[in-house]
Structure formats: structure tokens, C-alpha cells
mmCIF file of all heavy atoms in Angstrom:
data_model
loop_
_atom_site.group_PDB
_atom_site.id
_atom_site.type_symbol
_atom_site.label_atom_id
_atom_site.label_comp_id
_atom_site.label_asym_id
_atom_site.label_seq_id
_atom_site.Cartn_x
_atom_site.Cartn_y
_atom_site.Cartn_z
ATOM 1 N N VAL A 1 92.960 83.738 86.697
ATOM 2 C CA VAL A 1 93.064 82.920 85.488
ATOM 3 C C VAL A 1 93.065 81.461 85.925
ATOM 4 O O VAL A 1 93.438 81.140 87.054
ATOM 5 C CB VAL A 1 94.333 83.246 84.672
ATOM 6 C CG1 VAL A 1 94.291 84.670 84.142
ATOM 7 C CG2 VAL A 1 95.603 83.027 85.488
ATOM 8 N N PRO A 2 92.644 80.553 85.035
ATOM 9 C CA PRO A 2 92.569 79.151 85.434
ATOM 10 C C PRO A 2 93.928 78.488 85.641
ATOM 11 O O PRO A 2 94.057 77.571 86.441
ATOM 12 C CB PRO A 2 91.809 78.483 84.290
ATOM 13 C CG PRO A 2 91.919 79.405 83.140
ATOM 14 C CD PRO A 2 92.109 80.780 83.694
ATOM 15 N N SER A 3 94.952 78.922 84.911
ATOM 16 C CA SER A 3 96.256 78.292 85.035
ATOM 17 C C SER A 3 97.359 79.281 84.657
ATOM 18 O O SER A 3 97.108 80.288 84.001
ATOM 19 C CB SER A 3 96.343 77.052 84.155
ATOM 20 O OG SER A 3 96.191 77.431 82.798
ATOM 21 N N VAL A 4 98.578 78.957 85.093
ATOM 22 C CA VAL A 4 99.733 79.812 84.816
ATOM 23 C C VAL A 4 100.907 78.920 84.419
ATOM 24 O O VAL A 4 101.201 77.937 85.102
ATOM 25 C CB VAL A 4 100.121 80.636 86.072
ATOM 26 C CG1 VAL A 4 101.408 81.395 85.846
ATOM 27 C CG2 VAL A 4 99.007 81.585 86.452
ATOM 28 N N GLU A 5 101.556 79.236 83.316
ATOM 29 C CA GLU A 5 102.765 78.513 82.922
ATOM 30 C C GLU A 5 103.925 79.032 83.760
ATOM 31 O O GLU A 5 104.006 80.224 84.054
ATOM 32 C CB GLU A 5 103.045 78.725 81.438
ATOM 33 C CG GLU A 5 101.987 78.098 80.542
ATOM 34 C CD GLU A 5 102.308 78.255 79.069
ATOM 35 O OE1 GLU A 5 103.501 78.379 78.725
ATOM 36 O OE2 GLU A 5 101.357 78.260 78.280
ATOM 37 N N THR A 6 104.835 78.141 84.129
ATOM 38 C CA THR A 6 105.922 78.526 85.031
ATOM 39 C C THR A 6 106.922 79.485 84.391
ATOM 40 O O THR A 6 107.643 80.172 85.094
ATOM 41 C CB THR A 6 106.684 77.283 85.550
ATOM 42 O OG1 THR A 6 107.184 76.545 84.433
ATOM 43 C CG2 THR A 6 105.775 76.415 86.406
ATOM 44 N N ASP A 7 106.934 79.559 83.053
ATOM 45 C CA ASP A 7 107.855 80.490 82.390
ATOM 46 C C ASP A 7 107.147 81.735 81.844
ATOM 47 O O ASP A 7 107.748 82.553 81.156
ATOM 48 C CB ASP A 7 108.623 79.783 81.269
ATOM 49 C CG ASP A 7 107.708 79.261 80.166
ATOM 50 O OD1 ASP A 7 106.479 79.183 80.383
ATOM 51 O OD2 ASP A 7 108.226 78.922 79.086
ATOM 52 N N ALA A 8 105.864 81.906 82.183
ATOM 53 C CA ALA A 8 105.107 83.075 81.719
ATOM 54 C C ALA A 8 105.566 84.326 82.464
ATOM 55 O O ALA A 8 105.874 84.282 83.653
ATOM 56 C CB ALA A 8 103.614 82.861 81.933
ATOM 57 N N ASN A 9 105.618 85.447 81.753
ATOM 58 C CA ASN A 9 105.976 86.726 82.346
ATOM 59 C C ASN A 9 104.751 87.300 83.053
ATOM 60 O O ASN A 9 103.700 87.483 82.443
ATOM 61 C CB ASN A 9 106.460 87.691 81.261
ATOM 62 C CG ASN A 9 106.905 89.027 81.813
ATOM 63 O OD1 ASN A 9 106.162 89.726 82.501
ATOM 64 N ND2 ASN A 9 108.130 89.402 81.501
ATOM 65 N N PHE A 10 104.889 87.559 84.342
ATOM 66 C CA PHE A 10 103.784 88.041 85.180
ATOM 67 C C PHE A 10 103.092 89.253 84.569
ATOM 68 O O PHE A 10 101.870 89.343 84.551
ATOM 69 C CB PHE A 10 104.331 88.392 86.572
ATOM 70 C CG PHE A 10 103.301 88.861 87.547
ATOM 71 C CD1 PHE A 10 102.452 87.971 88.174
ATOM 72 C CD2 PHE A 10 103.188 90.210 87.869
ATOM 73 C CE1 PHE A 10 101.503 88.403 89.094
ATOM 74 C CE2 PHE A 10 102.254 90.655 88.778
ATOM 75 C CZ PHE A 10 101.405 89.749 89.394
ATOM 76 N N PHE A 11 103.870 90.192 84.056
ATOM 77 C CA PHE A 11 103.312 91.437 83.536
ATOM 78 C C PHE A 11 102.657 91.240 82.166
ATOM 79 O O PHE A 11 101.767 91.993 81.788
ATOM 80 C CB PHE A 11 104.379 92.527 83.503
ATOM 81 C CG PHE A 11 104.935 92.813 84.876
ATOM 82 C CD1 PHE A 11 106.196 92.366 85.241
ATOM 83 C CD2 PHE A 11 104.180 93.490 85.825
ATOM 84 C CE1 PHE A 11 106.698 92.601 86.516
ATOM 85 C CE2 PHE A 11 104.668 93.726 87.101
ATOM 86 C CZ PHE A 11 105.935 93.280 87.439
ATOM 87 N N ASP A 12 103.074 90.216 81.432
ATOM 88 C CA ASP A 12 102.474 89.932 80.127
ATOM 89 C C ASP A 12 101.139 89.198 80.239
ATOM 90 O O ASP A 12 100.364 89.181 79.291
ATOM 91 C CB ASP A 12 103.427 89.093 79.262
ATOM 92 C CG ASP A 12 104.654 89.870 78.817
ATOM 93 O OD1 ASP A 12 104.640 91.119 78.903
ATOM 94 O OD2 ASP A 12 105.636 89.217 78.390
ATOM 95 N N ILE A 13 100.886 88.567 81.384
ATOM 96 C CA ILE A 13 99.636 87.798 81.524
ATOM 97 C C ILE A 13 98.620 88.503 82.412
ATOM 98 O O ILE A 13 97.720 87.887 82.953
ATOM 99 C CB ILE A 13 99.904 86.362 82.013
ATOM 100 C CG1 ILE A 13 100.592 86.352 83.386
ATOM 101 C CG2 ILE A 13 100.701 85.577 80.995
ATOM 102 C CD1 ILE A 13 100.728 84.969 84.005
ATOM 103 N N GLY A 14 98.792 89.819 82.576
ATOM 104 C CA GLY A 14 97.783 90.598 83.291
ATOM 105 C C GLY A 14 98.227 91.154 84.622
ATOM 106 O O GLY A 14 97.455 91.830 85.294
ATOM 107 N N GLY A 15 99.463 90.900 85.018
ATOM 108 C CA GLY A 15 99.954 91.419 86.291
ATOM 109 C C GLY A 15 100.350 92.881 86.196
ATOM 110 O O GLY A 15 100.661 93.380 85.115
ATOM 111 N N ASP A 16 100.315 93.561 87.320
ATOM 112 C CA ASP A 16 100.789 94.934 87.417
ATOM 113 C C ASP A 16 101.455 95.088 88.786
ATOM 114 O O ASP A 16 101.525 94.122 89.554
ATOM 115 C CB ASP A 16 99.660 95.951 87.211
ATOM 116 C CG ASP A 16 98.500 95.760 88.192
ATOM 117 O OD1 ASP A 16 98.729 95.332 89.339
ATOM 118 O OD2 ASP A 16 97.355 96.069 87.818
ATOM 119 N N SER A 17 101.937 96.266 89.091
ATOM 120 C CA SER A 17 102.679 96.459 90.337
ATOM 121 C C SER A 17 101.820 96.189 91.571
ATOM 122 O O SER A 17 102.301 95.631 92.558
ATOM 123 C CB SER A 17 103.283 97.863 90.398
ATOM 124 O OG SER A 17 102.271 98.838 90.290
ATOM 125 N N MET A 18 100.550 96.544 91.530
ATOM 126 C CA MET A 18 99.689 96.301 92.681
ATOM 127 C C MET A 18 99.417 94.800 92.858
ATOM 128 O O MET A 18 99.388 94.287 93.972
ATOM 129 C CB MET A 18 98.370 97.074 92.552
ATOM 130 C CG MET A 18 98.568 98.586 92.551
ATOM 131 S SD MET A 18 99.547 99.193 93.942
ATOM 132 C CE MET A 18 98.401 98.990 95.260
ATOM 133 N N LYS A 19 99.237 94.101 91.760
ATOM 134 C CA LYS A 19 99.033 92.650 91.845
ATOM 135 C C LYS A 19 100.323 91.964 92.295
ATOM 136 O O LYS A 19 100.271 90.956 92.993
ATOM 137 C CB LYS A 19 98.536 92.105 90.516
ATOM 138 C CG LYS A 19 97.093 92.519 90.238
ATOM 139 C CD LYS A 19 96.597 92.011 88.912
ATOM 140 C CE LYS A 19 95.165 92.510 88.699
ATOM 141 N NZ LYS A 19 94.671 92.215 87.368
ATOM 142 N N ALA A 20 101.467 92.491 91.895
ATOM 143 C CA ALA A 20 102.747 91.946 92.365
ATOM 144 C C ALA A 20 102.834 92.077 93.883
ATOM 145 O O ALA A 20 103.299 91.157 94.564
ATOM 146 C CB ALA A 20 103.914 92.666 91.693
ATOM 147 N N MET A 21 102.367 93.191 94.418
ATOM 148 C CA MET A 21 102.373 93.384 95.869
ATOM 149 C C MET A 21 101.449 92.374 96.549
ATOM 150 O O MET A 21 101.765 91.855 97.614
ATOM 151 C CB MET A 21 101.952 94.816 96.232
ATOM 152 C CG MET A 21 102.875 95.887 95.701
ATOM 153 S SD MET A 21 104.603 95.620 96.050
ATOM 154 C CE MET A 21 104.590 95.480 97.793
ATOM 155 N N GLU A 22 100.323 92.088 95.919
ATOM 156 C CA GLU A 22 99.401 91.090 96.473
ATOM 157 C C GLU A 22 100.053 89.709 96.472
ATOM 158 O O GLU A 22 99.931 88.948 97.430
ATOM 159 C CB GLU A 22 98.091 91.069 95.678
ATOM 160 C CG GLU A 22 97.044 90.177 96.287
ATOM 161 C CD GLU A 22 95.708 90.223 95.555
ATOM 162 O OE1 GLU A 22 95.469 91.143 94.759
ATOM 163 O OE2 GLU A 22 94.897 89.310 95.803
ATOM 164 N N VAL A 23 100.776 89.385 95.391
ATOM 165 C CA VAL A 23 101.489 88.109 95.333
ATOM 166 C C VAL A 23 102.525 88.036 96.447
ATOM 167 O O VAL A 23 102.643 87.024 97.138
ATOM 168 C CB VAL A 23 102.152 87.903 93.953
ATOM 169 C CG1 VAL A 23 103.140 86.740 93.988
ATOM 170 C CG2 VAL A 23 101.092 87.678 92.873
ATOM 171 N N ILE A 24 103.275 89.104 96.645
ATOM 172 C CA ILE A 24 104.306 89.134 97.690
ATOM 173 C C ILE A 24 103.681 88.890 99.061
ATOM 174 O O ILE A 24 104.201 88.113 99.868
ATOM 175 C CB ILE A 24 105.079 90.461 97.650
ATOM 176 C CG1 ILE A 24 106.001 90.478 96.430
ATOM 177 C CG2 ILE A 24 105.884 90.682 98.930
ATOM 178 C CD1 ILE A 24 106.663 91.807 96.151
ATOM 179 N N LEU A 25 102.559 89.518 99.325
ATOM 180 C CA LEU A 25 101.866 89.317 100.597
ATOM 181 C C LEU A 25 101.414 87.861 100.748
ATOM 182 O O LEU A 25 101.610 87.251 101.789
ATOM 183 C CB LEU A 25 100.662 90.262 100.704
ATOM 184 C CG LEU A 25 99.792 90.092 101.945
ATOM 185 C CD1 LEU A 25 100.590 90.438 103.194
ATOM 186 C CD2 LEU A 25 98.559 90.960 101.846
ATOM 187 N N ARG A 26 100.846 87.300 99.702
ATOM 188 C CA ARG A 26 100.374 85.918 99.766
ATOM 189 C C ARG A 26 101.535 84.938 99.887
ATOM 190 O O ARG A 26 101.426 83.923 100.563
ATOM 191 C CB ARG A 26 99.521 85.592 98.538
ATOM 192 C CG ARG A 26 98.375 86.578 98.361
ATOM 193 C CD ARG A 26 96.965 86.135 98.462
ATOM 194 N NE ARG A 26 96.613 84.790 98.365
ATOM 195 C CZ ARG A 26 95.912 84.260 97.364
ATOM 196 N NH1 ARG A 26 95.525 85.012 96.353
ATOM 197 N NH2 ARG A 26 95.566 83.003 97.390
ATOM 198 N N VAL A 27 102.666 85.222 99.231
ATOM 199 C CA VAL A 27 103.852 84.368 99.370
ATOM 200 C C VAL A 27 104.318 84.371 100.822
ATOM 201 O O VAL A 27 104.674 83.335 101.376
ATOM 202 C CB VAL A 27 104.983 84.819 98.415
ATOM 203 C CG1 VAL A 27 106.321 84.192 98.791
ATOM 204 C CG2 VAL A 27 104.624 84.492 96.972
ATOM 205 N N SER A 28 104.276 85.545 101.444
ATOM 206 C CA SER A 28 104.662 85.644 102.849
ATOM 207 C C SER A 28 103.738 84.798 103.725
ATOM 208 O O SER A 28 104.193 84.085 104.615
ATOM 209 C CB SER A 28 104.629 87.103 103.298
ATOM 210 O OG SER A 28 104.955 87.218 104.654
ATOM 211 N N GLU A 29 102.442 84.850 103.454
ATOM 212 C CA GLU A 29 101.459 84.106 104.245
ATOM 213 C C GLU A 29 101.535 82.595 103.997
ATOM 214 O O GLU A 29 101.450 81.813 104.926
ATOM 215 C CB GLU A 29 100.038 84.586 103.922
ATOM 216 C CG GLU A 29 99.745 85.996 104.368
ATOM 217 C CD GLU A 29 98.428 86.532 103.820
ATOM 218 O OE1 GLU A 29 97.827 85.889 102.924
ATOM 219 O OE2 GLU A 29 98.004 87.610 104.266
ATOM 220 N N VAL A 30 101.689 82.199 102.730
ATOM 221 C CA VAL A 30 101.613 80.790 102.361
ATOM 222 C C VAL A 30 102.963 80.082 102.464
ATOM 223 O O VAL A 30 103.069 78.999 103.021
ATOM 224 C CB VAL A 30 101.039 80.631 100.926
ATOM 225 C CG1 VAL A 30 101.094 79.194 100.460
ATOM 226 C CG2 VAL A 30 99.614 81.157 100.874
#
């Protein structure tokens, strides 16, 4: 998505458990 609001719910804007895992991996890397 082009942008994300800081108070948006991850699961309400298209996130799921697998995408959450991808975020966790990227947070670890970045």
C-alpha cells in the first residue's frame, strides 16, 4: 500500500498472520 496510518490496525488494512511474520523478519533485519 502507498501509506500506513500509525494507528491503523494491521489486520484491518490487509494484514494476516503470514504477513505479520514477514514484518517481524523485516523488523529484525532493519
Side-chain angles (χ1 to χ4, degrees):
V1 296
S3 62
V4 173
E5 294 183 26
T6 57
D7 62 345
N9 182 304
F10 182 77
F11 300 105
D12 291 344
I13 60 173
D16 57 32
S17 58
M18 296 308 288
K19 289 179 182 172
M21 298 310 304
E22 186 176 344
V23 167
I24 287 171
L25 176 64
R26 305 244 343 247
V27 165
S28 178
E29 293 170 349
V30 174

